[in-house]
Amino acid sequence: MQPVRVLVTRRWPEAVERALGERFDVVLNEADRPLTEADLSAAMGTFDVIAPTVSDRLPAAIFAPGNRCRLIANYGVGYDHIDIAAAKAAGIAVTNTPGVLTDATADLALTLMLMAARRAGEGERELRGGQWTGWRPTHLIGSALKGKVLGVVGFGRIGQATAARAHHGFGMTIAYFARSPRPEAAALGAHFCADLDSLLAMSDFVSLHVPGGGETANLIDAAAIATMKPGSYLINTARGQVVDHDALAQALRSGHLAGAGLDVYPHEPQVPAALLDLENVVLLPHLGSATEETRVAMGNRALANIEAFAKGADLPDRVA
Ligand code: 8YV
């Protein structure tokens, strides 16, 4: 039997690249440059497995009939960069890495909440720019988290982990918007909102935890932002396409929103220009899962799916 050929589209932590290399015929992207759609199309014909990341685009055109590739083992939990319907139609399985990046991403949502609320980015820029004139009672006054309402949009693993940190760690009251009430909400005393507008209107902080893709594109549009409570904060560790960034910039400029914290953007690595000059938005470069522990665990999870595929067993994290 021919060895299973695997293409890893970006560098992974060394330990997981090594583990993968010991078991399969692996090609690594030594230069770690993003692959083009043409590179990925060509790879579909010569590899059994492609292990992409969020920085790759796999549109319908990639899934042409007659390709060698039978598994897309995504390194990441979100898979809106892959045309799932086209993969299914071509009989190509798709897996992801759920669970292992929940804590890291929830930690980053709290990082953004605290940075935005306590004006940490502004303060650091001021200090490094040599503009800090010393302590004074009215300097860079922010907002407390304790006693405030956190509205969680999407109450899956990461939404729940963020809510738990905010409630147990910071004394926040939790409300959430989801398709239906969730049993996990009881332990947090979290209030279910059947419609997004009521959640937005009652929340001091809104944190987004919905998957990307057509269903959630522009969910937080100009009208939704107008519905948000004056002086509130928007946090996004989900996907950039969920937010209308022009409307967000406008609300941050007018003071309707006190601040925002973003880790994701619609066309990464581009950042919407309207945000770059605003002091009251924290902008991070998609760091949600960026801990050593999590990135190794993501690799191990992708590896488990590739191993199952090689044995012809059920894929543990199959999404298509
Ligand atoms: C990952 C993410 O690091 O898993 C996801 O969906 O957004 C990130 O935190 C990235 O997707 C890697 O592919």
Side-chain angles (χ1 to χ4, degrees):
M1 215 175 74
Q2 278 194 338
V4 172
R5 291 202 80 212
V6 181
L7 172 68
V8 181
T9 69
R10 302 304 296 266
R11 297 311 302 261
W12 288 5
E14 209 189 319
V16 270
E17 280 189 346
R18 203 177 326 110
L20 196 64
E22 281 163 7
R23 294 170 177 73
F24 305 105
D25 176 7
V26 176
V27 172
L28 302 174
N29 177 356
E30 302 285 349
D32 204 17
R33 264 190 235 105
L35 300 186
T36 62
E37 200 178 309
D39 296 331
L40 287 166
S41 258
M44 292 291 291
T46 53
F47 289 88
D48 302 294
V49 179
I50 297 183
T53 73
V54 72
S55 64
D56 300 302
R57 295 269 137 244
L58 286 83
I62 295 269
F63 298 100
N67 273 323
R68 173 168 172 172
C69 180
R70 304 267 42 98
L71 171 65
I72 304 292
N74 187 51
Y75 180 90
V77 67
Y79 46 83
D80 52 301
H81 53 292
I82 303 168
D83 190 320
I84 294 291
K88 263 192 194 156
I92 298 172
V94 180
T95 57
N96 69 344
T97 62
V100 291
L101 38 70
T102 303
D103 288 326
T105 309
D107 287 350
L108 200 85
L110 264 300
T111 304
L112 286 170
M113 278 170 66
L114 287 163
M115 285 184 74
R118 299 303 300 274
R119 304 176 65 177
E122 276 180 86
E124 202 196 11
R125 282 189 292 278
E126 180 186 90
L127 180 149
R128 286 180 184 271
Q131 305 298 313
W132 182 35
T133 55
W135 192 91
R136 60 189 189 278
T138 55
H139 183 220
L140 286 180
I141 299 302
S143 164
L145 300 193
K146 190 169 179 181
K148 301 289 167 61
V149 176
L150 170 64
V152 179
V153 179
F155 208 61
R157 291 186 198 87
I158 301 173
Q160 288 171 32
T162 301
R165 282 158 172 73
H167 181 66
H168 298 303
F170 293 93
M172 298 184 82
T173 300
I174 309 298
Y176 69 104
F177 167 69
R179 282 202 196 98
S180 50
R182 300 287 300 248
E184 300 89 347
L188 301 171
H191 171 77
F192 171 65
C193 285
D195 72 293
L196 180 59
D197 283 355
S198 340
L199 182 94
L200 297 176
M202 70 189 285
S203 300
D204 300 294
F205 292 80
V206 171
S207 189
L208 306 178
H209 299 285
V210 287
E215 267 186 50
T216 57
N218 256 347
L219 183 70
I220 306 298
D221 60 7
I225 290 171
T227 309
M228 286 176 70
K229 198 167 164 178
S232 61
Y233 296 80
L234 180 69
I235 306 300
N236 190 9
T237 53
R239 283 293 179 264
Q241 291 82 354
V242 178
V243 174
D244 176 340
H245 289 91
D246 287 334
L248 174 63
Q250 173 58 35
L252 289 166
R253 221 177 285 120
S254 72
H256 172 57
L257 295 190
L262 309 178
D263 188 43
V264 286
Y265 310 90
H267 305 290
E268 296 174 8
Q270 288 167 47
V271 177
L275 297 172
L276 289 169
D277 294 333
L278 295 175
E279 285 292 349
N280 55 350
V281 57
V282 178
L283 301 168
L284 295 184
H286 203 146
L287 295 178
S289 63
T291 66
E292 176 69 18
E293 295 84 349
T294 297
R295 291 283 164 87
V296 168
M298 288 164 68
N300 282 329
R301 197 77 185 228
L303 176 58
N305 282 290
I306 299 170
E307 277 180 327
F309 163 83
K311 284 192 214 132
D314 284 347
L315 305 175
D317 303 308
R318 185 167 190 156
V319 294

